Amino acid sequence: PEKRNLGFTYYPKSNVNMLLAFEVTNRYWDSSIKIAGIDYKINDYKLGFEYAPHNSYPIRAGLVYSESIFDAVEPTATLTLGTGAKIGRIEFDFAMNYSTTKYKYFDIFPLEDIFDIDCQDIGCDNVTENKLTFLTTLKIGF
């Protein structure tokens, strides 16, 4: 896929410890074969915030909204939170991501041929997946 990014960063003059960022990423595939139910142009929207007070840990938060390649899968929203610190040559970061994805799913044991039937015709199950991820990073400089 090809990718285009456009982003803005804002540092308020009244508060030099704060940062606001916004980014749009456009991904697209140029394919001679088009398949129904697949979107060949999708966008990701990212909004981030960081506040780093003096002599304290920074606070980071963000929201990511990602469109889905497949029509059957709804867009995904991800909430991010994090902090970090640097002590001498050692840096560490802690982060958390929470996302929700919704999609329709055919029955595991269908009674009829589902390959030529739409979800609206057969009545698919609605599935909601929630995902919570914790991340830790440790860097040591030499």
Side-chain angles (χ1 to χ4, degrees):
E2 293 186 38
K3 186 164 91 168
R4 293 184 205 142
N5 292 335
L6 176 64
F8 298 99
T9 304
Y10 174 66
Y11 296 94
K13 289 183 181 180
S14 61
N15 190 346
V16 294
N17 299 329
M18 189 183 327
L19 159 72
L20 294 171
F22 176 75
E23 180 180 356
V24 177
T25 302
N26 174 261
R27 292 182 287 166
Y28 56 96
W29 292 261
D30 188 18
S31 177
S32 59
I33 301 171
K34 300 293 182 187
I35 300 171
I38 295 181
D39 190 357
Y40 291 91
K41 292 183 180 181
I42 59 172
N43 294 315
D44 294 334
Y45 303 95
K46 301 173 186 175
L47 179 64
F49 163 83
E50 180 179 78
Y51 178 70
H54 291 293
N55 299 325
S56 186
Y57 300 108
I59 299 167
R60 299 181 196 117
L63 182 64
V64 179
Y65 180 83
S66 302
E67 295 175 346
S68 176
I69 297 171
F70 304 105
D71 290 344
V73 179
E74 293 184 13
T76 302
T78 304
L79 175 66
T80 64
L81 299 170
T83 189
K86 183 175 181 179
I87 303 170
R89 292 191 216 174
I90 299 173
E91 292 181 48
F92 59 91
D93 286 310
F94 299 105
M96 177 187 82
N97 294 341
Y98 176 77
S99 64
T100 300
T101 304
K102 295 180 181 180
Y103 57 92
K104 295 189 180 294
Y105 193 78
F106 287 104
D107 189 4
I108 295 175
F109 302 109
L111 299 175
E112 59 268 326
D113 182 15
I114 62 171
F115 296 106
D116 294 327
I117 299 175
D118 194 313
C119 263
Q120 294 174 352
D121 298 332
I122 196 169
C124 295
D125 293 328
N126 291 321
V127 178
T128 301
E129 289 185 4
N130 297 307
K131 182 176 161 184
L132 180 62
T133 307
F134 293 98
L135 307 163
T136 304
T137 304
L138 177 67
K139 293 182 194 176
I140 301 174
F142 293 102

